[in-house]
Amino acid sequence: MGSKPAQSVIVIGAGPAGLAFARRLAGSGIHVTLIERQGLGAIAEPAADGREIALTGKSVNLLREMGVWPAIEAGEAWPLAGARVLDGGSPFALAIDPAGKGDAPLGTLVPNHVIRRALHASIADAPHVELVAGATVERVETSRHEARVRLADGREFAADCLVAADSRFSETRKRLGIGAEVIPVGKSMLLARVRHEKPHDSLATEWFDRGQTVAMLPLGPNESGAVLTLPPERAKAIAALSRAELGAELTRRTRQRWGAMEALTDAYVYPLAITLAHRFAARRAALIGDAAVGMHPVTAHGFNFGLLGAVRLADAMRDARDIGDSRLLVRWAVRHRAAVLPLYLATRALVGLYTDDRLPARVARRAVLRLGALPPVRKGMAALLAQGR
């Protein structure tokens, strides 16, 4: 049975949020035990998974403060100059560009696996950070004085606090007795990296077309991450195509807006669901990352919220006499929920509106796009997307 070091925390999940939390606490004297189901190789050198992360300026600054950004920037990062939102065959495009930020980009696009690799490297030799890889959690318990975790192999760990950072379908959250709003979108997201004839001008495009949603995320000169949101069976069928066939299919589905496309990777498919935990804190426990709030990629804020929550929780713990104190955790939870809830609710409404192809919904969303084009509204959206909350 493991002993409990003074001021210690167990983190279940060594994804981006869990790793960022551990990195932020490194050097604080608080002992961090990261428990992850994947093996060490998959954590240290994660494979490309097709997901591209739109980092806000705030997220980049936080990663820079933690010394992680240089490794990310050297890996692969592309500035996002602005965004365009289209609806069906309408020629109207809602332009979202940086507001009052000079030449600063709206954000920065980085492949998910590059971020994960850099975060792991940043904690690999960090003091008081222990990574337990290839481990399956069997039981979690919290009491007035401590949190305990038992693994399937019999090992046990004790700490002052437990942090769940496993996934939007978090088993740890369930074991803590915390419910969640889980909204299956009924669609899947198909991702592939492509090269195309026409330039993207460093602009991201979100195109709500009939029967599908298309997103194009600039990743390099004439290269983008192509994202299709489709019924699950259709997404699987397209993913089974050869790369040559995939390029042709994406060219057809985007109506050659970017010219002919060549698929540079195979396609990846992920089912879509939006989740929000009923609360972000429990007795000697907290939720961060997707375990707290799982965003739809349409607003591209999932990682940003995960990073923000992890950093704020770590900062709250740094100088605390008891890092598992209920008052500390509740204060953090209330603040973080206030930060994420407005955009979560807006995203939930947006997804409902823009995945409905019935005539009333089509009329409503075109009106919403026109409303968004008004200068005050457009400026507010740009500021929110560029900086987070």
Side-chain angles (χ1 to χ4, degrees), residues 36-61:
E36 170 57 45
R37 181 175 297 180
Q38 293 187 95
L40 180 59
I43 305 170
E45 291 294 335
D49 59 11
R51 289 179 286 187
E52 315 297 339
I53 308 300
L55 298 175
T56 63
K58 177 177 285 187
S59 290
V60 170
N61 288 337

Side-chain angles (χ1 to χ4, degrees), residues 18 55 83 169 239 281 389:
L55 298 175
F169 304 110
R389 288 180 65 91

Side-chain angles (χ1 to χ4, degrees), residues 22-23 25-27 30-34 123-131:
R23 175 58 188 169
L25 277 181
I30 298 171
H31 186 90
V32 182
T33 301
L34 280 160
I123 61 99
D125 298 314
H128 306 298
V129 177
E130 174 188 8
L131 176 59

Side-chain angles (χ1 to χ4, degrees), residues 4-268:
K4 184 180 73 172
Q7 292 284 43
S8 57
V9 58
I10 299 169
V11 183
I12 299 179
L19 291 170
F21 175 76
R23 175 58 188 169
R24 190 70 170 188
L25 277 181
S28 68
I30 298 171
H31 186 90
V32 182
T33 301
L34 280 160
I35 298 176
E36 170 57 45
R37 181 175 297 180
Q38 293 187 95
L40 180 59
I43 305 170
E45 291 294 335
D49 59 11
R51 289 179 286 187
E52 315 297 339
I53 308 300
L55 298 175
T56 63
K58 177 177 285 187
S59 290
V60 170
N61 288 337
L62 288 173
L63 292 167
R64 187 176 284 117
E65 285 177 21
M66 294 189 290
V68 179
W69 182 246
I72 293 176
E73 193 172 32
E76 198 174 344
W78 190 264
L80 180 60
R84 300 292 181 266
V85 183
L86 311 172
D87 182 62
S90 172
F92 176 77
L94 171 60
I96 305 175
D97 297 314
K101 302 297 178 183
D103 295 327
L106 188 66
T108 305
L109 282 159
V110 183
N112 182 56
H113 73 280
V114 172
I115 297 174
R116 292 175 59 203
R117 183 174 61 214
L119 283 168
H120 172 266
S122 75
I123 61 99
D125 298 314
H128 306 298
V129 177
E130 174 188 8
L131 176 59
V132 181
T136 301
V137 174
E138 186 177 80
R139 187 175 70 242
V140 301
E141 296 176 345
T142 61
S143 66
R144 289 181 58 192
H145 304 293
E146 67 178 7
R148 285 191 171 273
V149 174
R150 179 182 175 86
L151 303 184
D153 61 12
R155 284 179 291 173
E156 290 194 8
F157 298 84
D160 297 284
C161 189
L162 171 70
V163 173
D166 35 2
S167 77
R168 64 186 64 201
F169 304 110
S170 171
E171 288 297 321
T172 308
R173 183 180 67 215
K174 295 175 186 176
R175 287 173 173 142
L176 289 170
I178 300 176
E181 176 180 80
V182 180
I183 303 176
V185 176
K187 300 288 180 68
S188 289
M189 182 171 60
L190 179 142
L191 316 172
R193 187 163 184 149
V194 298
R195 181 179 293 121
H196 41 81
E197 288 182 314
K198 299 178 183 178
H200 48 54
D201 298 324
S202 294
L203 297 173
T205 299
E206 189 81 28
W207 182 4
F208 297 100
D209 200 10
R210 295 289 297 275
Q212 65 176 12
T213 299
V214 177
M216 291 289 286
L217 308 175
L219 301 176
N222 286 63
E223 288 189 15
S224 297
V227 184
L228 296 181
T229 302
L230 296 162
E233 293 306 315
R234 189 60 194 145
K236 290 178 184 178
I238 295 174
L241 299 175
S242 68
R243 289 195 184 180
E245 293 170 328
L246 178 60
E249 179 68 6
L250 291 172
T251 301
R252 182 186 71 79
R253 284 183 170 270
T254 55
R255 305 180 197 174
Q256 299 201 20
R257 186 180 291 270
W258 291 270
M261 291 188 183
E262 172 192 0
L264 301 178
T265 66
D266 294 336
Y268 303 83

Side-chain angles (χ1 to χ4, degrees), residues 83 122 177 275 281 323 325 328 337 349 368:
S122 75
T275 61
I323 63 173
D325 181 76
L328 178 151
R337 194 176 186 86
V368 169

Side-chain angles (χ1 to χ4, degrees), residues 286-357:
L287 313 181
I288 60 174
D290 282 354
V293 55
M295 295 290 287
H296 189 284
V298 67
T299 45
H301 261 49
F303 174 84
N304 297 301
F305 282 159
L307 177 63
L308 182 63
V311 166
R312 283 179 171 170
L313 181 59
D315 288 350
M317 288 182 170
R318 271 184 167 271
D319 299 317
R321 294 183 62 182
D322 180 2
I323 63 173
D325 181 76
S326 294
R327 291 165 296 182
L328 178 151
L329 297 177
V330 169
R331 282 195 301 268
W332 163 82
V334 169
R335 183 185 182 195
H336 188 48
R337 194 176 186 86
V340 305
L341 191 57
L343 192 54
Y344 172 84
L345 294 175
T347 300
R348 188 176 66 178
L350 187 69
V351 169
L353 179 63
Y354 281 91
T355 55
D356 187 344
D357 280 331

